[in-house]
Amino acid sequence: MHIRPEIAVLPAYKQGRQAAADAFKLSSNENPFPPLPGVVEAVQAQTAFNRYPDATALAVRAVLANRFGLTVDEVHVAPGSVAVLHELAKATSGPGDEIVYAWRSFEAYPGVVTVAGATSVQVPNRADGGHDLDAMAAAVTDRTRMVIVCTPNNPTGPIVTGAEFEAFMAAVPSTVLVVLDEAYAEFVTDVTAVRGAALLERYPNLVVLRTFSKAYGLAGLRVGYALGPAYVLDAVRACAIPLSVTAQGQAAALASLERESELLERVAELAARRDRVVRALRAQGWAVPDAQGNFVWLPTGEGTAVAAEAFERAGIIVRAFAPEGIRISIGEHEAVETLLETARALVGDLQAAE
Ligand SMILES: Cc1ncc(COP(=O)(O)O)c(C=O)c1O
C-alpha cells in the first residue's frame, strides 16, 4: 500500500497529557471553568442525533457576521480553528508551495503544511519569544502561498502589536494569504495588540482565525471560525469535510455568544491570574516572556524534561517542549500555589547547576 513518504514519517498530533484524577491538567490551554450558564441546557436540547446538522452552521455565522460587521459569506465555521488551518492550507498550497510561520509556535502548524503537500518555512522567534516579523516578511518568496501569524504566540505568549502587523502587511505581497491566528484573543489585555477583525476591510489577503475552545470553554465541542474575504472562504468551504460541526457544537456556540458578560468576567479572572503568576515567576528569577494568552512559558532549556517531571510529581501536568521550555496553562485557582512552589524549587536547581 502506498503511503506518501512525508506522511509516513509525520507524527500524529500530540495532545497535552491527560491528568490523574488528583492532578491539574495544565497542558492543553483549556479553560478551567465549566461551560457558561445555559450552555449545557442548549446542548441537551439537541437530541435529534438521527439527523445531520446544518452543514453551513448558518445561525452561528449570522450572529458572528453581525458582531463583526461582515456578511455571512465572510464567516466560516469549522470543527475547531485547527480544521480551518487545514482547509486554508489545502485551498492555497500544494507540492512546491511554501507556508511561512514562526517557530516555535502552535505545534499543529508543521503537520497542517505537510498534509497539504506543501513545504514549511519556519522563522525563529525573537529572543523575547515574539514573532520576528521582519524575518518572516523576508522569508516570503514567489513560492509562498500563506503566512501564519500567531498572536498571542502559543506557546511563548507575546502578542504582535498593531503597528508591527501593519508594517508586516505592507512588506508582504498582497497575493500571499496572511492568516492571523487569534485563538487566545479574548485573553489579551495589552492595548497595543493587533485586532484582526478590524483590519479585514483594509487587507484583502487577510483571514482571521478565532475559536470557541479557549475563552468560551467549548474545547470538547469543536467549534472554531474564520473571518475573511468570501471568495477565500468559499475555497476553504470546498476543502472542508462536510457536516463536521455538530448541532450540539452550534447550539453551544450560539448560547455562549448570548452570555458575553459572564464570559468577560471569567476571562478577566483568568487574565488576572495569569498576570499574578507571571509577576511571581519573574520575582523568582525566571525570564518569563510577556504572557497574553491563558498560559505562561518557562524557559527551562536543557532542564526541560527534569522540570516537567518535577511539576508532574507535584500534581501538575505541563506541556514540555524539550530542549526549549515548558508551557503551563492558567487553570484552577487551587493550582497556583503548587505551580509557584515547584517553579521556585526548580529555578534554584537550574541556577545551582550552572
Ligand atoms: C494558536 C492556536 N491556534 C489554533 C488552535 C486550535 O484550537 P481549536 O481547533 O480547538 O479551535 C490552538 C489550540 O491549542 C492554538 O493554540
Side-chain angles (χ1 to χ4, degrees), residues 6 44 68 72 97 99 108 110 124-125 134 161 183 196 201 220 271 274 282 307 316 348:
E6 69 276 22
Q44 282 169 339
F68 291 109
V72 286
D97 295 334
I99 298 182
N125 287 322
D134 291 341
T161 68
E201 224 174 9
R274 170 198 70 202
R282 286 184 179 157
I316 293 182

Side-chain angles (χ1 to χ4, degrees), residues 13 28-29 79-83 85 106 109 150 154 181 183-184 211 213-214 222-224:
Y13 179 79
S28 293
N29 292 349
S81 52
V82 72
L85 281 162
F106 179 32
Y109 295 157
C150 184
N154 172 15
D181 186 343
Y184 302 94
T211 183
S213 297
K214 307 297 179 182
R222 314 303 304 125
V223 192

